[in-house]
Amino acid sequence: MYFRMAVLILGIFCVGTAELSPSGMLGELSHDLLVTIPTAGLLVTVYALTVVIGGPIVTAITTRVRRKRLLVLLLLVSVAGNITCALAPTFVLLLLGRMITAVTQGTFMAVCVVTAGNMADGRKKGSAVAGTQLGVNLATVLGVPFGTLVAQQIDWRATFGSVAVLALITSVLILIAIPDDGKATERTPVRHELRAVAKWQVIGTVFATVLCSGGMFSLITYMVPLLTDIGGLPAMWVPAVLLAYGVGSIVGNFIGGRCANHSVEATVVWLSWTLAAVCVLYWFAAPSTVGSAVLLVLFSVATFALIPGLQVRILTIAADAPTLSLTVNMAAFALGAALGSWAGGQVIALGFGVRAVTLAAAAFSALGALLIGQVVLLSRRRFTGVSSNDPADAEEAELLDLPVSPNVSTGACR
């Protein structure tokens, strides 16, 4: 079981590294391909948009493919995309390679989560599903710093080539280690899922996720120029700071998970405001080499602390539509990534400078926090006074951590 989980985590690590690696080597990409930094940032924007649009389409057309075969097929397509990136002679072809890679991400990660849950015992299913997210954390901790180091010491093409080789090895490991349960991805009635998702609690939280993700990626996309051009950090130290950033993501993920265990509602409200505040503080600290590095790590902690709460909330309030809610959740983060990376590039292109990206990130995060607060407030007004004699509403209120009486505590972390 542990080896099988490790293989799935390795697969997600490959996909996550492919997604995030351009953020650590925008300078090398822009210099070699003769484009501006904001134009190079489109590698993140286009990737995210492809996940949003292509993910549901790929999921729909592969519902009858057995999960094990689908995992291998999707990973091989990702290999082809990364090879295209590594060999691309022009920026346009590099974008095409990114799109080939991105179109597989949503479905691959969703199938990994379902496969992990099915491999685990009933009592350990939740832990197995949560464990797959370690692949994303490792991509942040190890993948991005390693990719940046390779780009600096060898060439940015070697970074994409390395990911392609590792993904190819992982596809072989999936063939060897992952059992073939003979099942395809389940086809759930669309009408049923749409009814579960088409309510303001879900829609409002999805929009808030888009805004908060926009704040995250406004800054994430341009974090290296912030460190080097504004903070004056020597290029040789960038991988070390990105490694610290990755460690911060693991710490934040742990904190966010613990907080969400106590109160999902309070967690998403307070941590979204915390993210906005950290982005504002980053604007003040950006000209300092040490201050910029420290705030980037704090930003990582705040970002990855918020993500589990947003995921848990969406999956909880749309529990009757697990397939669609998981797809919508991934699409929301990807759409926010596209919006944020594009907005950050526009801020720079309009002459406000790289430093102003931190304020754009703060604005997105604050708007997301306001929307989350509004959705939570409506929830509490609806469920205040719900009694145990109303089983359906009482159960929903308990799942959402909403008060069944006016005196229920709302503390986030205890």
Side-chain angles (χ1 to χ4, degrees):
M1 174 62 187
Y2 291 110
F3 179 67
R4 294 170 180 173
M5 280 296 302
V7 171
L8 293 177
I9 290 171
L10 183 60
I12 294 176
F13 170 80
C14 293
V15 173
T17 301
E19 176 190 9
L20 299 172
S21 56
S23 299
M25 52 187 188
L26 287 183
E28 288 79 9
L29 287 166
S30 64
H31 179 268
D32 192 38
L33 297 173
L34 303 178
V35 296
T36 64
I37 290 290
T39 300
L42 290 175
L43 293 170
V44 179
T45 305
V46 172
Y47 188 102
L49 286 175
T50 305
V51 173
V52 174
I53 298 171
I57 296 174
V58 172
T59 300
I61 65 178
T62 58
T63 53
R64 299 190 182 279
V65 181
R66 291 185 178 184
R67 295 190 188 114
K68 179 175 179 177
R69 295 177 182 176
L70 183 57
L71 286 174
V72 174
L73 176 63
L74 293 173
L75 209 50
L76 290 177
V77 173
S78 178
V79 169
N82 281 298
I83 291 175
T84 302
C85 290
L87 300 178
T90 65
F91 183 76
V92 173
L93 286 177
L94 179 57
L95 274 178
L96 176 61
R98 294 284 290 165
M99 293 174 67
I100 294 172
T101 306
V103 78
T104 67
Q105 177 170 314
T107 306
F108 180 81
M109 295 184 70
V111 176
C112 278
V113 170
V114 173
T115 302
N118 289 342
M119 289 192 307
D121 298 333
R123 292 175 298 175
K124 297 182 179 180
K125 184 168 292 189
S127 297
V129 172
T132 60
Q133 302 308 307
L134 181 60
V136 178
N137 288 122
L138 289 176
T140 307
V141 175
L142 300 176
V144 176
F146 174 77
T148 303
L149 183 62
V150 170
Q152 290 178 348
Q153 300 300 320
I154 304 176
D155 185 69
W156 60 265
R157 299 178 188 277
T159 299
F160 289 111
S162 299
V163 175
V165 171
L166 186 59
L168 185 61
I169 294 172
T170 305
S171 66
V172 175
L173 292 176
I174 290 174
L175 284 173
I176 296 172
I178 303 301
D180 188 353
D181 56 12
K183 295 181 180 179
T185 54
E186 292 82 3
R187 184 188 295 273
T188 305
V190 175
R191 187 179 303 174
H192 170 76
E193 293 204 346
L194 286 176
R195 276 200 302 267
V197 172
K199 51 186 179 182
W200 176 241
Q201 279 297 308
V202 179
I203 295 173
T205 303
V206 167
F207 280 129
T209 299
V210 171
L211 289 169
C212 289
S213 178
M216 297 169 190
F217 277 86
S218 294
L219 202 154
I220 288 173
T221 306
Y222 300 98
M223 59 186 176
V224 173
L226 269 171
L227 289 170
T228 56
D229 298 348
I230 306 301
L233 183 75
M236 62 180 294
W237 288 104
V238 170
V241 175
L242 293 182
L243 180 61
Y245 172 92
V247 173
S249 74
I250 295 178
V251 173
N253 195 47
F254 176 78
I255 293 173
R258 289 291 299 273
C259 289
N261 285 340
H262 293 288
S263 172
V264 176
E265 301 293 310
T267 293
V268 294
V269 170
W270 289 107
L271 287 179
S272 57
W273 281 115
T274 299
L275 178 61
V278 169
C279 291
V280 172
L281 290 175
Y282 201 159
W283 186 87
F284 290 102
S288 165
T289 301
V290 175
S292 182
V294 170
L295 261 296
L296 182 63
V297 174
L298 291 178
F299 169 79
S300 172
V301 174
T303 295
F304 284 87
L306 176 59
I307 289 173
L310 291 172
Q311 291 175 329
V312 170
R313 176 169 169 77
I314 289 177
L315 292 174
T316 301
I317 59 183
D320 290 337
T323 304
L324 184 58
S325 65
L326 186 60
T327 302
V328 168
N329 182 43
M330 293 179 179
F333 277 106
L335 181 58
L339 179 63
S341 59
W342 174 83
Q346 291 303 300
V347 166
I348 298 171
L350 290 172
F352 293 103
V354 176
R355 185 181 179 187
V357 167
T358 58
L359 297 181
F364 273 118
S365 302
L367 288 173
L370 286 171
L371 183 53
I372 289 173
Q374 188 267 348
V375 173
V376 169
L377 182 61
L378 287 180
S379 298
R380 294 190 176 280
R381 285 178 177 175
R382 175 187 173 193
F383 286 102
T384 297
V386 171
S387 68
S388 59
N389 294 326
D390 196 353
D393 281 351
E395 181 180 0
E396 185 175 354
E398 182 179 357
L399 284 171
L400 294 175
D401 194 32
L402 298 173
V404 294
S405 70
N407 298 320
V408 172
S409 169
T410 60
C413 300
R414 295 189 290 271

